[in-house]
Amino acid sequence: MPELPEVETIACGLRPQLTGRRIVSVSVRNEGTVQGDAAAFARCVPGRVIAGVGRRGKLLLMELAPPGGPDATGGGAGGTDAARSAGKGTDVPPDAPPDVPPDAADLMACRDAAGKMAGSGASGATGASGATGASGATGAAGGNREPHLLGVHLKMTGRLFVYGPEVAPNTHTRVVFGLDDGNRLFFDDARKFGYVRTLSDADLATWDFWRSLGPEPLEIAAPDFAALFRGRRGRIKALLLDQTVIAGIGNIYADESLFRASIRPDAQAGELSPERLCVLHGHLVDVLRESIAECGSSIRDYRDAHGDAGAFQNRFRVYGRSGQPCVACGRTLATGKVAGRTTVFCEHCQKLK
């Protein structure tokens, strides 16, 4: 499943292709792909302008400009000033790769398109309406029901590509979004596990998945990260994989960051000192940033918004290297299971406490 770096890379690649484009039509080729309010999806998406593209955890988000609002006139890929400025900070080097944010500030600009998408802090998720807390977004169920976000979860095999009008949908194309420039956005998903859904303030307040998402690892401060595990029962890798504890981390980046932090994946989280957890946070941030700079990791199905494979898999130190020599000590890497996931680690370099 694509993890945080892969979804971030896809969002950054789609942003210049979609921002400011009007969705003129929607063709649903597999009804099960549309979750939530299917009637609202069919009624509210056509005609809306995409004001920005971002991410929350592993969920890709497209911001929909208000119908009839100042952004609703479209106006080409540049979009509004706010949407144009969302993808890059003011101090981005002129020679920086266009789709790879060079630092944490720009990463957040990528994810927080026009300042209206979901944010997070140490306390938990922030809904688009501006409220915080893992206990849920504000706007009670009776709040604004006009969808302002289009969420896409890629799951195992989902892909999002923009194609010219000459390209026909294929067997695995589940939803087609027609754009005002003649191009089309395809959501392809071979295994049909992925989904799309519209999100209003009321949806964000009642959708358990959204309400329970933990903080973003690239935004939370190290001491607050350490506090997430204070007194927690459970193995550290299992908690890293738990999206209600920290959002966006999967098997690859849990293994890689734990190796760099010299912590065994099966170590009890509550027995790790705050200092060691702060070290883990630093390595986790480094691993995520390095992967984003490499456009993610391609193991099987993942491709970015341009159809290209990522390259971070060429830098794996433990993931997928079971039985091979440890890059640090030369001893054979061990394999186990944590939270039902295959786990590779070095018994010599990584410690339980």
Side-chain angles (χ1 to χ4, degrees), residues 25 30 119 150 153 192 218 261 311 318 335 346:
S25 64
N30 179 63
L150 180 60
H153 207 307
K192 299 183 181 179
L218 291 170
V318 286
T335 305
C346 178

Side-chain angles (χ1 to χ4, degrees), residues 74-244:
T80 64
D81 290 340
R84 280 196 298 270
S85 64
K88 290 288 183 183
T90 57
D91 57 347
V92 178
D95 58 346
D99 296 335
V100 179
D103 56 34
D106 289 327
L107 283 174
M108 295 312 104
C110 258
R111 195 185 56 73
D112 201 47
K116 299 175 185 176
M117 287 192 182
S120 73
S123 59
T126 300
S129 59
T132 66
S135 59
T138 63
N144 182 9
R145 295 186 178 276
E146 181 67 34
H148 55 84
L149 293 174
L150 180 60
V152 183
H153 207 307
L154 302 173
K155 292 291 185 175
M156 297 294 293
T157 59
R159 298 183 179 185
L160 284 167
F161 294 130
V162 175
Y163 292 106
E166 73 283 355
V167 178
N170 61 51
T171 304
H172 302 309
T173 303
R174 308 305 175 191
V175 183
V176 178
F177 300 90
L179 305 175
D180 61 357
D181 61 354
N183 291 326
R184 294 182 294 177
L185 174 66
F186 288 7
F187 178 49
D188 296 339
D189 185 15
R191 299 183 68 179
K192 299 183 181 179
F193 293 156
Y195 59 82
V196 300
R197 62 182 296 161
T198 53
L199 294 164
S200 65
D201 286 344
D203 296 324
L204 296 176
T206 57
W207 187 22
D208 287 343
F209 168 80
W210 181 272
R211 287 163 51 92
S212 66
L213 278 175
E216 292 283 329
L218 291 170
E219 295 181 27
I220 189 171
D224 294 324
F225 174 85
L228 296 175
F229 304 96
R230 184 183 301 131
R232 297 289 293 262
R233 298 183 61 183
R235 293 173 289 183
I236 184 63
K237 178 177 176 180
L239 294 177
L240 287 175
L241 297 178
D242 186 339
Q243 301 300 294
T244 69

Side-chain angles (χ1 to χ4, degrees), residues 323-350:
Q324 298 182 40
C326 173
V327 298
C329 72
R331 291 172 172 83
T332 301
L333 293 173
T335 305
K337 288 277 188 179
V338 176
R341 305 301 301 276
T342 299
T343 301
V344 183
F345 61 99
C346 178
E347 294 176 301
H348 175 73
C349 296
Q350 294 173 257

Side-chain angles (χ1 to χ4, degrees), residues 274-338:
E275 291 76 18
R276 294 201 73 198
L277 289 167
C278 286
V279 169
L280 172 60
H281 175 264
H283 286 295
L284 177 60
V285 168
D286 287 345
V287 166
L288 294 174
R289 287 177 175 170
E290 289 171 20
S291 183
I292 292 169
E294 296 278 1
C295 296
S297 303
S298 290
I299 308 300
R300 295 182 182 88
D301 299 289
Y302 164 71
R303 294 293 184 272
D304 68 14
H306 305 292
D308 298 323
F312 189 67
Q313 68 275 6
N314 300 321
R315 302 175 62 180
F316 288 167
R317 302 184 188 183
V318 286
Y319 182 84
R321 299 189 64 246
S322 177
Q324 298 182 40
C326 173
V327 298
C329 72
R331 291 172 172 83
T332 301
L333 293 173
T335 305
K337 288 277 188 179
V338 176

